[in-house]
């Protein structure tokens, strides 16, 4: 590595170091501090002094220690070998670190992010020497896992004519596979290239969002859908199931690649992902879920400044797969910890705080992060998308705090987790009253075309019922349910059925954990059949007690567990039997009269 | 592949060589004393978080660490407080290395202060190993996901908030509630079924009263386990600053016992609220920008450094299970201390004053309590096949009881529907028969689950949506 001494430590205050004697440091340059070579980044330059944020524990660093500059910004390595790997916040492979330093993470470890020894089978694209090459162009492919074809992209500086391109064969990520003659001279090509994490990767143009990201979670897909390329916030106090929801989406959503960022959260949660994902099978590809997942782990006891970087590392990896023409979903759990890392660093730099000690640039940073999502036409002309799903952990579960409020300004979909629901173990605890999705209008066409023309109407009807239930519940709280007429108590009954049979979803049940769009539609229409026909029956004089005693209702409640995604015909049969029972009930009543 | 910290550059830089020469030099006189902080000017380059020895005018040595180091001034935090120090008469020595303690198995059965020095009159046990008290973060890839069910013999925990070996499960309590009794009962009764394993308890007291410390030690003594317990006491009348190091010292010993000596260690830390207050005190004196209620912005990271030092590691037989106790100021669960704790720990046992008032022990609030690791440690082959659904059903039904009680308080019990009356009776039975037990009652998991079914039988079977029909056939009304 080309190292040069760029200055000396003057003061150490936690992860923030003041340097002096600085002459040729670059802003946002990757640096190493002291003889243990702790990784850091210059974040402020003024006169001959600089402020350096260190990504590792600074114990033992003293004034006078040398600071070494690397000459390049903090970057990630992009190339085959990313899938299935777990990295720390600055893309160091944690498995390799374990081989070096054992169960506990030592400091100052310097390791390449991508395996340098492994050979990948490269299949070049049909390109001829002398052909124009532009950044982002697909040079060839590597079958990285059974499910993921890794498309090798021309690096950012490779604009010119192709001089040579290797034939099919096995290469490591550092063996040249060709060269480009560019204005600045000859640029060698490799299976990997680098990209600075704080710079969004370029695209051709942004496209309209139109396709929903099917998560398999009914309350999300049916009530509050998110589009491919969209942004979502999941706020919720502790114990309301943010992580469980994120895990469920990471497991079952129909994105091609998942980037899971564990930012300042529990170590065991990352272990859970690491042990569970390889065992689960993706219903679409039939392959292990780990074969489409990249993990970034900065657990809560790992250094706080690397937490700040982990979000950008994750976004850059996601953009890289997007540029290959994939739909990528990013789970960031939790963005509040990232915001708190910003606050801690800002405080140590003695910056003037805004709300609750957070720096004034917090909203800008949040906006920058969520704007890295989008449905785009990439440089090679293909379509790809990055969907960002960020968890927010508001202190005391109070959504009026700065991080939740600012996040709300920059996301278009909001899944509010509700403490009351979580306490009743109603999972996912997504509140149907406080949540919203601005993508509804954009994904409606897809649902009506692909799933069923009645989708918009059915969804609107159940949402209206849920709203009516709230008003009726207020009455019930004052005077008790007996004061309501049967027709109104039936609304409560139906909503109750909808919550039990539809909204609640078990992440641990083999059938229930994932519902296809078709199954969701069938279930919804079944419940609405009960509502429409039942309301009709009550108008005709059937009592609510009789309706409630219908044996078939137990089957409706348990259909989520008993009827599989592929078994759509069974839903039709169940619907027919429901109609028949209701018909019988009405006719018995007619006779009695 | 290089590990750069093993490859120092050829020869020392001039600065390096100078520092090595100067480490250990003694400085006479300090420049400012403010609360527990001492400011020393014009020192040699001192490392961040270096251990410091401060000799007071009477010749006694106190320990401290470097909180902030700059070319002109070094800030030292003194664990034993600064009372009696004088500006010209204080001697300061920088040790050139972070704080370490010697750990060994011989520390079991002994009593120490927060810094790991014996206060039971015995000699300091010889350490097998000198370890940095700050620990190192565990690599998430080396963790073993905890799954072993610990039977505590307490129904509301075993049945509904199951404790798993390697979990960190705090008790959120309030002043005057029986959290100490419950923690002691758990320490007494906890067992992994069907195994005999070596276990140890590490007890860290921060700012608690002498009576509380005595309660725990006599409770350990009565059950004859005192030889397996190490106590680290930093009591209410000790300098508050010592509380910051107490849990770190205790956890360092726990790690040694678990990962080097294959023991299963239960760490009880009480009271985390006092720890957080000491942290706030330091932060305020240093003039840091506060976040909520004056607590420093890094309270979350600081607590995480403690709580994350638990769990199981691949390839190691031992484990660390943490049970921190904290008293919620004004019983407010949204206060920063319980709030941030809840975001780090794997669930929480929440106490409710109202239940305590009604004479129920343990007064564990059914709904806000939670064990996150429960899902993977219960069910067939671990506890019993009906356990997951039964727990879920009890939660759902009890949650509805709360609604009915609210309704009854508005419209009167007479106006309730017959079904709601049944729910009220269920609620009462659930609290009296299932939750409530005595301090010496040790129920097996089967007894706990059977009691669960017993109270559920008070509800009509068609109300039980969360259990399967097979389970109803097998257990309902039996």
């Amino acid at each position: 590595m080309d190292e040069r001494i760029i200055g000396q430590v003057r003061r150490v205050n936690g992860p923030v170091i003041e340097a002096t004697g600085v002459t040729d440091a670059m802003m946002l340059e990757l640096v190493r501090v002291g003889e243990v070579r702790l990784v850091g980044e210059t974040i402020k330059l003024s006169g001959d002094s600089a402020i350096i944020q260190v990504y590792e524990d600074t114990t033992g660093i003293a004034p006078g220690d040398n600071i070494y500059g690397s000459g390049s910004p903090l970057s990630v390595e992009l190339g085959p070998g990313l899938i299935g790997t777990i990295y720390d916040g600055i893309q160091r492979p944690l498995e390799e670190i374990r081989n070096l330093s054992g169960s506990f993470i030592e400091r100052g470890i310097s390791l390449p992010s991508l395996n340098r020894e492994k050979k990948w089978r490269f299949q070049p694209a049909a390109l001829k020497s002398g052909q124009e090459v532009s950044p982002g162009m697909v040079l060839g492919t590597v079958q990285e896992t059974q499910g993921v074809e890794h498309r090798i992209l021309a690096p950012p500086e490779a604009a010119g004519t192709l001089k040579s391109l290797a034939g099919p064969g096995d290469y490591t990520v550092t063996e040249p596979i060709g060269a480009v003659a560019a204005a600045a001279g000859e640029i060698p090509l490799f299976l990997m290239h680098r990209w600075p994490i704080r710079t969004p990767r370029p695209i051709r143009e942004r496209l309209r969002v139109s396709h929903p990201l099917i998560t398999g979670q009914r309350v999300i897909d049916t009530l509050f859908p998110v589009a491919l390329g969209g942004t979502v916030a999941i706020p919720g106090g502790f114990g309301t199931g943010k992580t469980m929801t994120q895990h469920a989406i990471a497991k079952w959503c129909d994105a091609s690649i998942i980037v899971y960022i564990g930012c300042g959260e529990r170590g065991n949660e990352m272990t859970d992902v690491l042990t569970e994902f390889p065992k689960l099978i993706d219903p679409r590809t039939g392959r292990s879920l780990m074969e489409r997942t990249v993990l970034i782990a900065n657990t809560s006891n790992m250094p706080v400044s690397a937490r700040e970087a982990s979000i950008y590392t994750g976004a850059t990896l996601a953009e890289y797969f997007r540029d290959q023409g994939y739909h990528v979903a990013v789970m960031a759990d939790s963005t509040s910890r990232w915001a708190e890392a910003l606050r801690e660093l800002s405080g140590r730099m003695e910056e003037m705080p805004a709300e609750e000690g957070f720096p004034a640039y917090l909203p800008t940073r949040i906006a920058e992060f969520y704007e890295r999502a989008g449905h785009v036409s990439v440089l090679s002309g293909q379509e790809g998308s990055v969907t960002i799903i960020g968890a927010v952990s508001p202190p005391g579960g109070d959504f009026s705090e700065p991080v939740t409020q600012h996040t709300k300004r920059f996301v278009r979909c909001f899944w509010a987790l509700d403490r009351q629901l979580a306490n009743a173990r109603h999972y996912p605890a997504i509140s149907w009253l406080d949540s919203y999705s601005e993508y509804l209008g954009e994904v409606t066409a897809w649902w009506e075309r692909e799933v069923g023309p009645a989708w918009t109407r059915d969804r609107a009807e159940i949402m209206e019922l849920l709203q009516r239930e709230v008003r009726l519940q207020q009455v019930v709280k004052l005077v008790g349910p007996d004061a309501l007429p049967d027709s109104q108590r039936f609304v409560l009954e139906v909503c109750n059925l909808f919550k039990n049979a539809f909204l609640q979803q078990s992440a641990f049940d083999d059938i229930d954990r994932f519902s296809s769009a078709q199954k969701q539609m069938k279930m919804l229409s079944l419940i609405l059949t009960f509502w429409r026909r039942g309301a009709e029956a009550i108008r005709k004089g059937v009592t609510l007690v009789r309706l409630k005693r219908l044996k078939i209702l137990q089957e409706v409640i348990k259909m989520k567990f008993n009827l599989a995604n592929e078994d759509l015909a069974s839903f039709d049969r169940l619907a027919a039997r429901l109609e028949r029972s209701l018909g019988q009930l009405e006719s018995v009543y007619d006779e009695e009269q | 592949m290089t590990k750069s910290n093993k490859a120092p550059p050829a020869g020392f830089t001039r600065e390096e060589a100078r520092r090595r020469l100067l480490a250990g030099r003694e400085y006479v006189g300090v420049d400012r004393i403010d609360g527990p902080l001492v400011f020393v000017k014009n020192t040699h380059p001192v490392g961040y978080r270096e251990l410091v020895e401060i000799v007071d005018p009477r010749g006694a040595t106190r320990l401290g660490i470097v909180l902030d180091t700059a070319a002109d001034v070094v800030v030292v935090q003194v664990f034993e407080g600064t009372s009696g120090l004088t500006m010209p008469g204080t001697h300061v020595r920088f040790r050139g290395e972070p704080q370490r303690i010697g750990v060994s198995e011989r520390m079991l059965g002994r009593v120490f202060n927060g810094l790991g020095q014996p206060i039971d009159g015995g000699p300091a046990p010889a350490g097998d190993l000198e370890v940095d008290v700050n620990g190192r973060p565990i690599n998430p890839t080396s963790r073993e996901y905890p799954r072993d069910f610990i039977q505590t013999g307490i129904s509301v925990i075993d049945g509904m908030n199951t404790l798993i070996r390697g979990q960190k499960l705090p008790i959120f309590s309030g002043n005057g509630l029986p959290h100490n009794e419950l923690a002691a009962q758990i320490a007494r009764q906890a067992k992994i079924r069907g195994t005999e394993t070596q276990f140890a308890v590490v007890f860290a007291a921060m700012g608690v009263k002498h009576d509380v410390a005595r309660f725990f030690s006599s409770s350990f003594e009565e059950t004859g386990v005192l030889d397996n317990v190490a106590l680290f006491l930093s009591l209410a009348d000790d300098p508050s600053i010592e509380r910051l190091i107490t849990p770190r010292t205790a956890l360092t010993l726990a790690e040694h016992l678990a990962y080097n000596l294959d023991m299963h260690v239960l760490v009880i830390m009480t009271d985390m609220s006092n720890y957080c207050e000491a942290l706030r005190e330091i932060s305020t004196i240093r003039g840091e920008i506060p976040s909520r209620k004056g607590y420093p912005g890094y309270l979350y990271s600081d607590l995480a450094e403690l709580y994350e030092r638990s769990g199981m590691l691949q390839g190691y037989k031992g484990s660390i299970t943490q049970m921190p106790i904290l008293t919620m100021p004004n019983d407010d669960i949204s206060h920063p201390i319980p709030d941030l704790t809840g975001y780090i720990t794997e669930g929480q046992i929440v106490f409710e004053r109202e239940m305590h008032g009604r004479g129920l022990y343990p007064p564990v609030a059914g709904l806000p309590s939670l064990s996150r690791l429960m899902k993977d440690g219960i069910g067939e082959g671990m506890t019993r096949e009906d356990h997951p659904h039964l727990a879920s059903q009890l939660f759902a039904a009890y949650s509805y009881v709360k609604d009915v009680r609210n309704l009854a308080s508005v419209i009167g019990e007479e106006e309730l529907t017959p079904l709601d009356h049944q729910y009220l009776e269920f609620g009462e039975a659930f609290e009296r028969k299932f939750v409530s037990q005595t301090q010496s009652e040790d129920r097996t998991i089967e007894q706990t689950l059977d009691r669960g079914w017993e109270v559920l039988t008070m509800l009509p079977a068609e109300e039980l949506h969360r259990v399967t029909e097979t389970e109803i056939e097998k257990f309902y009304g039996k």
Side-chain angles (χ1 to χ4, degrees):
Chain A
M1 202 184 284
D2 296 336
E3 278 190 339
R4 66 194 200 290
I5 293 177
I6 60 163
Q8 279 77 39
V9 173
R10 202 191 76 80
R11 178 184 174 200
V12 187
N13 179 7
V16 172
I17 284 183
E18 279 177 39
T20 176
V22 179
T23 45
D24 69 339
M26 202 167 58
M27 188 65 177
L28 298 182
E29 180 176 348
L30 176 72
V31 299
R32 293 185 176 265
V33 178
E35 300 319 316
V36 287
R37 296 291 203 279
L38 305 181
V39 182
E41 200 181 5
T42 51
I43 51 174
K44 213 178 253 182
L45 294 172
S46 100
D48 72 340
S49 66
I51 294 206
I52 288 157
Q53 162 176 328
V54 181
Y55 294 120
E56 298 178 79
D57 181 9
T58 49
T59 300
I61 297 294
D65 282 358
N66 282 328
I67 298 168
Y68 302 88
S70 69
S72 58
L74 182 59
S75 306
V76 288
E77 295 186 350
L78 303 169
L82 292 171
I83 299 286
T85 311
I86 178 165
Y87 291 109
D88 76 354
I90 47 175
Q91 214 207 3
R92 287 183 299 189
L94 285 168
E95 292 276 1
E96 307 270 334
I97 289 184
R98 184 181 167 200
N99 294 339
L100 268 188
S101 78
S103 301
F104 298 88
I105 301 174
E106 295 294 340
R107 302 184 302 159
I109 292 179
S110 163
L111 277 175
S113 304
L114 295 174
N115 189 322
R116 291 288 189 265
E117 272 111 57
K118 181 155 184 185
K119 291 210 178 244
W120 299 95
R121 170 130 301 221
F122 173 66
Q123 191 63 44
L127 296 172
K128 285 196 204 74
S129 301
Q131 201 172 335
E132 288 274 314
V133 173
S134 57
M137 197 167 167
V138 179
L139 300 171
T141 58
V142 164
Q143 196 68 39
E144 184 170 353
T145 68
Q146 296 270 358
V148 177
E149 181 192 79
H150 199 111
R151 294 160 193 154
I152 306 302
L153 304 177
E157 66 279 8
T161 53
L162 188 66
K163 241 186 124 189
S164 63
L165 186 64
D170 296 334
Y171 303 91
T172 66
V173 289
T174 47
E175 281 172 332
I177 54 158
V180 169
E186 191 178 301
I187 292 164
L189 298 171
F190 300 99
L191 291 182
M192 61 161 263
H193 66 271
R194 288 172 192 276
W195 189 269
I197 60 169
R198 295 181 199 276
T199 317
R201 287 173 63 90
I203 52 166
R204 184 172 287 177
E205 63 171 331
R206 282 185 177 259
L207 303 173
R208 220 173 70 81
V209 299
S210 59
H211 195 294
L213 174 78
I214 298 296
T215 63
Q217 309 302 304
R218 290 184 293 267
V219 57
I220 293 174
D221 293 342
T222 299
L223 297 188
F224 309 106
V226 55
L228 284 176
T231 47
V232 191
I234 315 182
F238 64 79
T240 51
K242 287 181 299 297
T243 303
M244 287 300 294
T245 311
Q246 295 249 28
H247 279 196
I249 298 171
K251 284 174 194 163
W252 308 117
C253 79
D254 63 353
S256 323
I257 306 285
I258 305 291
V259 177
Y260 196 102
I261 311 169
C263 177
E265 293 288 307
R266 302 174 185 88
N268 274 333
E269 282 171 1
M270 296 314 291
T271 312
D272 192 17
V273 173
L274 278 176
T275 49
E276 198 181 3
F277 275 37
K279 288 185 215 142
L280 293 170
I281 300 299
D282 184 346
R284 287 166 209 89
T285 60
R287 305 292 311 170
S288 141
L289 281 175
M290 206 60 196
E291 292 187 15
R292 62 165 197 180
T293 310
V294 186
L295 296 171
I296 308 217
N298 178 277
T299 56
S300 56
N301 55 342
M302 283 155 82
V304 72
S305 39
R307 196 167 303 160
E308 192 264 339
S310 65
I311 288 277
Y312 300 105
T313 302
T316 309
L317 295 184
E319 285 175 344
Y320 173 64
F321 283 104
R322 173 202 68 193
D323 291 348
Q324 299 174 31
Y326 287 116
H327 295 293
V328 187
V330 177
M331 313 288 145
D333 185 14
S334 144
T335 59
S336 293
R337 305 295 162 231
W338 166 69
E340 282 162 13
L342 283 180
R343 172 169 71 186
E344 178 171 346
L345 294 167
S346 160
R348 300 235 190 219
M349 287 186 278
E350 290 161 10
E351 292 174 339
M352 183 70 101
E355 300 155 89
E356 293 194 18
F358 285 105
Y361 48 78
L362 174 71
T364 324
R365 295 285 175 87
I366 293 177
E368 279 168 5
F369 169 60
Y370 281 106
E371 278 304 295
R372 291 179 84 162
H375 179 211
V376 303
S377 167
V378 303
L379 292 176
S380 67
Q382 303 192 50
E383 260 186 49
S385 72
V386 172
T387 310
I388 297 185
I389 300 172
V392 182
S393 320
D398 171 13
F399 290 178
S400 67
E401 57 92 38
V403 181
T404 317
Q405 281 308 310
H406 291 308
T407 303
K408 241 177 155 172
R409 287 163 54 200
F410 306 115
V411 298
R412 292 185 58 204
C413 196
F414 191 74
W415 299 332
L417 297 178
D418 187 273
R419 161 81 51 200
Q420 303 275 318
L421 292 176
N423 279 353
R425 302 314 192 248
H426 171 122
Y427 290 124
I430 297 177
S431 158
W432 46 90
L433 300 174
D434 301 330
S435 305
Y436 60 80
S437 167
E438 292 177 19
Y439 295 109
L440 201 58
E442 281 147 327
V443 303
T444 301
W446 182 90
W447 274 91
E448 292 191 339
R449 192 176 65 240
E450 304 287 329
V451 187
W455 186 75
T456 318
R457 192 196 62 193
D458 285 0
R459 183 193 171 278
E461 189 162 1
I462 200 72
M463 282 304 278
E464 198 221 318
L465 275 180
L466 290 171
Q467 295 293 336
R468 271 175 74 183
E469 193 221 2
V470 178
R471 287 200 302 276
L472 291 173
Q473 285 291 3
Q474 284 166 354
V475 180
V476 169
K477 279 200 183 114
L478 290 177
V479 294
D482 281 351
L484 295 177
D486 271 5
S487 62
Q488 292 192 332
R489 286 183 64 188
F490 186 54
V491 175
L492 301 183
E493 259 336 294
V494 171
C495 286
N496 215 2
L497 176 72
F498 183 64
K499 288 177 209 164
N500 277 319
F502 190 91
L503 293 181
Q504 277 184 31
Q505 192 165 353
S506 163
F508 312 114
D509 187 273
D510 288 345
I511 291 179
D512 194 32
R513 60 191 182 187
F514 164 78
S515 287
S516 67
Q518 284 73 15
K519 177 176 171 181
Q520 299 187 24
M521 178 79 204
K522 294 274 182 206
M523 288 174 69
L524 177 61
S525 93
L526 236 158
I527 291 166
L528 284 170
T529 302
F530 178 64
W531 156 244
R532 291 177 194 134
R533 289 292 310 274
E536 180 69 16
I538 285 184
R539 257 198 302 286
K540 285 187 181 157
V542 178
T543 58
L544 181 65
V545 179
R546 285 239 156 138
L547 268 178
K548 276 174 75 175
R549 277 204 204 126
L550 278 180
K551 278 239 154 51
I552 195 163
L553 281 186
Q554 290 301 324
E555 279 181 64
V556 174
I557 288 176
K558 305 243 156 96
M559 66 185 165
K560 59 181 179 184
F561 297 122
N562 296 336
L563 306 184
N565 285 316
E566 305 76 40
D567 198 9
L568 293 175
S570 293
F571 284 99
D572 293 335
R573 281 197 293 277
L574 184 62
R577 282 171 49 220
L578 178 68
E579 293 255 9
R580 213 156 46 237
S581 319
L582 285 161
Q584 275 167 3
L585 194 64
E586 276 183 37
S587 62
V588 169
Y589 200 81
D590 285 343
E591 278 162 29
E592 278 175 9
Q593 277 188 330
Chain B
M1 264 177 243
T2 57
K3 192 175 165 195
S4 46
N5 59 349
K6 286 234 171 112
F12 300 121
T13 60
R14 221 177 56 173
E15 215 33 62
E16 268 261 317
R18 201 163 79 95
R19 200 184 324 148
R20 272 167 198 262
L21 274 173
L22 295 177
R25 170 193 272 205
E26 189 168 298
Y27 292 86
V28 181
V30 299
D31 293 275
R32 193 174 135 204
I33 303 174
D34 184 354
L37 303 184
V38 169
F39 296 71
V40 192
K41 277 194 180 162
N42 302 323
T43 62
H44 65 277
V46 171
Y48 180 65
R49 279 173 121 163
E50 240 178 56
L51 180 65
V52 187
E53 284 173 357
I54 298 107
V55 185
D56 64 23
R58 289 187 304 169
T61 305
R62 309 180 191 195
L63 294 181
I65 58 163
V66 173
L67 275 193
D68 192 330
T69 169
D72 46 353
V73 63
V74 175
V75 184
V76 179
Q77 166 182 308
V78 186
F79 290 120
E80 284 121 314
T82 49
S83 77
L85 294 188
T86 62
M87 299 236 294
T90 302
H91 297 228
V92 180
R93 275 195 300 268
F94 297 98
R95 294 278 297 267
E97 54 171 25
Q99 190 187 358
R100 291 167 192 276
I101 61 160
V103 287
S104 77
E105 203 177 355
R106 291 177 292 276
M107 292 173 82
L108 290 173
R110 302 288 305 273
V111 187
F112 304 90
N113 68 5
L115 296 160
Q117 297 154 342
I119 51 172
D120 52 3
D128 294 340
L129 208 60
E130 291 267 310
V131 194
D132 180 354
V133 293
N134 295 303
R136 286 267 168 249
I138 297 178
N139 191 326
T141 60
S142 347
R143 281 184 186 270
E144 174 92 46
Y145 194 73
R147 304 180 182 274
D148 298 336
F149 161 69
I150 296 182
Q151 179 178 298
T152 64
I154 295 158
S155 289
V156 68
I157 294 179
D158 290 351
M160 298 179 65
N161 304 289
T162 317
L163 179 66
I164 304 293
R165 188 146 76 185
Q167 185 172 18
K168 37 191 182 291
L169 189 66
I171 299 178
F172 287 7
S173 181
N175 295 316
L177 296 180
H179 41 266
N180 296 328
E181 286 77 2
L182 184 68
Q185 189 177 3
I186 291 173
R188 250 186 346 253
Q189 298 181 168
K191 54 176 112 23
I192 302 273
R193 304 219 303 168
T195 54
E196 278 297 317
T197 44
Q198 245 200 321
F199 84 102
V201 176
V202 172
F203 180 81
M206 292 152 281
V208 301
K209 296 176 279 282
H210 282 269
D211 301 351
V212 174
R214 188 169 309 119
F215 167 80
F216 275 101
S217 56
S218 61
S219 156
F220 294 136
E221 205 168 353
E222 276 161 29
T223 41
V225 295
L226 199 57
D227 287 345
N228 288 324
V229 181
L231 294 104
F232 292 85
L233 306 180
S234 165
L235 299 174
D237 52 359
D238 291 328
S240 68
I241 213 71
E242 192 185 318
R243 293 169 202 165
L244 291 179
I245 203 74
T246 310
R248 293 189 164 80
T249 316
L251 286 165
T252 305
L253 174 64
E255 281 172 350
H256 175 67
L257 297 175
Y259 305 135
N260 295 334
L261 299 172
D262 294 343
M263 288 188 181
H264 294 288
V265 187
L266 175 67
V267 181
I268 298 175
M269 303 192 283
T270 181
D271 172 340
M272 292 308 292
S273 301
N274 296 333
Y275 172 83
C276 295
E277 251 136 51
L279 204 63
R280 175 166 69 177
E281 201 179 314
I282 287 290
S283 170
T284 319
I285 293 171
R286 295 182 65 198
E288 291 174 333
I289 295 162
S291 62
R292 277 198 304 155
K293 299 210 173 179
Y295 290 96
Y298 49 81
L299 180 60
Y300 177 85
S301 309
D302 193 280
L303 284 174
E305 274 177 24
L306 303 180
Y307 295 144
E308 281 287 326
R309 291 172 81 172
S310 61
M312 299 181 75
L313 297 180
Q314 287 171 31
Y316 292 87
K317 287 200 199 102
S319 68
I320 298 180
T321 309
Q322 273 192 29
M323 186 157 278
I325 299 173
L326 59 90
T327 47
M328 298 182 278
N330 203 17
D331 293 354
D332 175 11
I333 196 169
S334 67
H335 184 281
I337 299 171
D339 191 50
L340 294 178
T341 298
Y343 275 119
I344 306 165
T345 53
E346 286 143 347
Q348 63 277 338
I349 304 289
V350 185
F351 276 15
E352 198 174 84
R353 200 168 289 279
E354 189 241 322
M355 288 178 77
H356 181 61
R358 284 163 55 208
L360 298 167
Y361 172 89
V364 175
L367 303 180
S369 301
L370 170 76
S371 162
R372 290 167 188 269
L373 298 186
M374 174 175 180
K375 60 183 167 57
D376 295 304
I378 61 169
E380 205 168 349
M382 293 171 281
T383 53
R384 203 167 76 182
E385 73 272 20
D386 57 318
H387 191 168
H389 288 155
L390 173 68
S392 169
Q393 182 63 61
L394 286 170
F395 271 118
Y398 190 57
S399 150
Y400 186 67
V401 168
K402 294 271 172 175
D403 289 346
V404 175
R405 282 184 185 165
N406 286 340
L407 181 62
S409 66
V410 179
I411 62 171
E413 266 189 38
E414 304 75 45
E415 298 294 315
L416 295 176
T417 61
L419 179 64
D420 285 354
H421 271 289
Q422 275 181 299
Y423 266 103
L424 279 189
E425 280 162 30
F426 158 77
E428 192 66 21
F430 173 77
E431 286 165 354
R432 297 272 166 208
K433 288 194 183 151
F434 182 83
V435 175
S436 178
Q437 63 189 85
T438 66
Q439 286 182 31
S440 54
E441 198 173 347
D442 189 358
R443 295 182 189 157
T444 66
I445 182 68
E446 285 79 17
Q447 286 167 340
T448 291
L449 296 178
D450 289 345
R451 270 175 195 261
W453 280 105
E454 191 189 326
V455 292
L456 268 188
T457 305
M458 303 178 69
L459 295 173
E462 55 277 14
E463 278 294 304
L464 310 180
H465 299 315
R466 306 231 177 146
V467 291
T468 65
E469 269 136 58
T470 352
E471 284 160 358
I472 290 189
E473 257 168 52
K474 195 164 170 198
F475 299 104
Y476 180 79
K478 299 289 150 63

